[in-house]
Amino acid sequence: MRKRILFLFLLAAAIGGACLGFFLRPEFVPPAIVPLEGASLNQTPVYTLLFEGGMETIRIDPDPAVYAGAKAANRSLHLYTDMPEEEWIPIYYLAFINEPHQEPFYADLLGALREIRDRRGLDDDRYLELIAVFVQSIPYETDASVSEPKFPIETFVDAAGDCDDKSLLLAGLLAREGYGVSLLYFGGETHMAVGVKSAGCGYRNTSFAYIETTNVSYVGIPPATLSGGATLSSDPLVIPVGQGERSYTACNQVQTIERALSALRDRAAVLETELEARGREIEAMRDALDVLGARMTSLLRAGDISEYNRLVQDYNRMAGDYNQAVDAYNALLDEAERVVDLHNDLAAGAHDRPASYLVARAYPSG
């Protein structure tokens, strides 16, 4: 959930005296960090994440003075002139990302991420996915007592954040690594995500691939629903953060994965409907067998062997049909379990897009 923005519209007082000329106030004063020297951290977070089949650990030592200053910062946007939303909203969020006292934090964190990139030989697409998976792996958490966004250094040290907190961190990292990146601000749905310049998987009215930051998910595949069941139906306000030349070029593979996921969901729905219908048929067949079996038991107890023997053939035929129906049901159930398992494996495989693509490519998706 994106937190609300606090802003104050302030009136500048007029100052007389021709010898002083005009006293010019800025149009706005954004949130800023004043480091608190002497501060300390209770603990430094250590992040362990799964990426492409292996575990990675990320640990840095953020400046306690900057973190404490971020915690104590006034997060209001002070406006001295009237501005439309599409102007002051970007000013507000960019102030959190680009607050200059955080640059050493960005440099240290990117140093740790680059070490993984170089050791694994990641290309630009996989490196972007590494950064995304790292931020997505930070626990999603909302704090009802805090109504404003966090500075990225806070999200890292707190090891928790909501959609705008994590989006600000991811956008700041990608921008500093030369990617074309923007924030995607959904005012109506109170949500925020990240968009990265892409070739072939632009989201809605943008040229950016959608990145959901609240959970580990594929670059370029937006969520069907948000937490709480809401859906994204509006065009986002695009807030440019980085104008770099790097872009995401694995859209064809992501689209193959998305088609496979869609086909698997469709097949699972068909199988569920068919299993329900066949289950009802089998239940009716079982009831008919029970009724016939009870009648035959009564005949046997009454000594009516002739009628009992006459019904044996009917019972055996019905039992054979029942067993065939059960076998067919179980075969469908096996397929349904395979389909669901494959879907869930693919859906959970965003940390390893290349491997997921190979799996998705092998599934007939129409």
Side-chain angles (χ1 to χ4, degrees):
M1 177 180 179
R2 177 185 55 78
K3 296 185 285 292
R4 65 189 178 91
I5 299 174
L6 295 182
F7 73 95
L8 301 174
F9 183 73
L10 304 179
L11 298 177
I15 298 180
C19 64
L20 295 178
F22 292 99
F23 181 76
L24 298 178
R25 287 185 180 271
E27 291 185 344
F28 58 86
V29 177
I33 295 173
V34 178
L36 298 180
E37 300 302 332
S40 61
L41 297 178
N42 292 330
Q43 61 181 15
T44 301
V46 178
Y47 290 93
T48 301
L49 61 142
L50 175 63
F51 183 72
E52 292 190 0
M55 302 302 295
E56 295 289 352
T57 299
I58 295 176
R59 177 175 182 171
I60 63 171
D61 295 307
D63 186 340
V66 176
Y67 171 74
K71 279 295 182 189
N74 183 331
R75 297 160 197 264
S76 299
L77 174 64
H78 297 267
L79 295 179
Y80 292 94
T81 185
D82 193 17
M83 286 187 185
E85 279 192 350
E86 59 269 21
E87 290 185 20
W88 63 257
I89 288 176
I91 291 170
Y92 185 71
Y93 282 114
L94 290 173
F96 285 89
I97 294 175
N98 295 326
E99 213 292 333
H101 291 96
Q102 297 179 112
E103 292 305 325
F105 156 72
Y106 282 124
D108 289 347
L109 181 51
L110 287 171
L113 291 164
R114 289 169 189 162
E115 188 279 327
I116 299 172
R117 176 197 64 188
D118 296 343
R119 173 164 39 84
R120 291 193 176 213
L122 304 180
D123 60 20
D124 285 353
D125 290 335
R126 293 166 65 204
Y127 182 45
L128 183 150
E129 289 164 346
L130 169 67
I131 299 173
V133 168
F134 162 67
V135 174
Q136 291 168 337
S137 298
I138 296 174
Y140 174 77
E141 183 178 293
T142 59
D143 186 346
S145 67
V146 178
S147 59
E148 309 96 343
K150 294 180 179 180
F151 288 91
I153 192 172
E154 294 179 84
T155 302
F156 179 88
V157 175
D158 294 345
D162 63 11
C163 65
D164 56 354
D165 302 329
K166 297 174 69 176
S167 294
L168 297 180
L169 173 58
L170 178 58
L173 292 169
L174 292 178
R176 282 156 181 79
E177 288 297 66
Y179 291 92
V181 61
S182 292
L183 296 172
L184 303 180
Y185 174 92
F186 298 88
E189 295 87 354
T190 63
H191 188 62
M192 180 176 283
V194 172
V196 62
K197 186 167 66 174
S198 69
C201 47
Y203 176 72
R204 293 179 73 90
N205 65 333
T206 78
S207 60
F208 297 95
Y210 182 104
I211 307 178
E212 178 63 35
T213 60
T214 58
N215 57 68
V216 177
S217 52
Y218 291 98
V219 176
I221 301 182
T225 59
L226 304 174
S227 59
T231 59
L232 294 176
S233 58
S234 64
D235 290 335
L237 172 64
V238 178
I239 303 174
V241 179
Q243 303 294 333
E245 292 301 316
R246 286 182 173 175
S247 64
Y248 189 68
T249 64
C251 292
N252 287 340
Q253 292 193 8
V254 171
Q255 288 163 355
T256 297
I257 295 169
E258 187 172 24
R259 285 193 297 269
L261 286 168
S262 178
L264 287 163
R265 285 192 296 270
D266 291 345
R267 182 58 182 161
V270 169
L271 289 169
E272 181 181 18
T273 300
E274 191 166 352
L275 283 167
E276 289 176 353
R278 293 201 180 196
R280 290 191 294 269
E281 292 174 1
I282 289 172
E283 185 176 355
M285 294 171 73
R286 178 74 258 182
D287 290 344
L289 276 170
D290 289 344
V291 170
L292 181 56
R295 180 184 175 192
M296 292 173 68
T297 299
S298 297
L299 290 171
L300 195 60
R301 288 173 178 171
D304 192 344
I305 304 301
S306 175
E307 181 64 12
Y308 174 88
N309 288 337
R310 188 185 69 80
L311 293 177
V312 166
Q313 185 176 359
D314 291 341
Y315 185 91
N316 289 341
R317 175 183 53 78
M318 291 172 62
D321 292 343
Y322 173 83
N323 289 335
Q324 288 181 1
V326 169
D327 288 342
Y329 179 91
N330 288 336
L332 280 179
L333 183 60
D334 288 343
E335 182 188 354
E337 290 175 347
R338 290 194 301 271
V339 165
V340 170
D341 288 345
L342 180 55
H343 175 275
N344 291 343
D345 288 345
L346 269 182
H351 60 85
D352 194 349
R353 182 261 311 162
S356 295
Y357 166 69
L358 295 178
V359 173
R361 189 176 62 177
Y363 185 79
S365 55

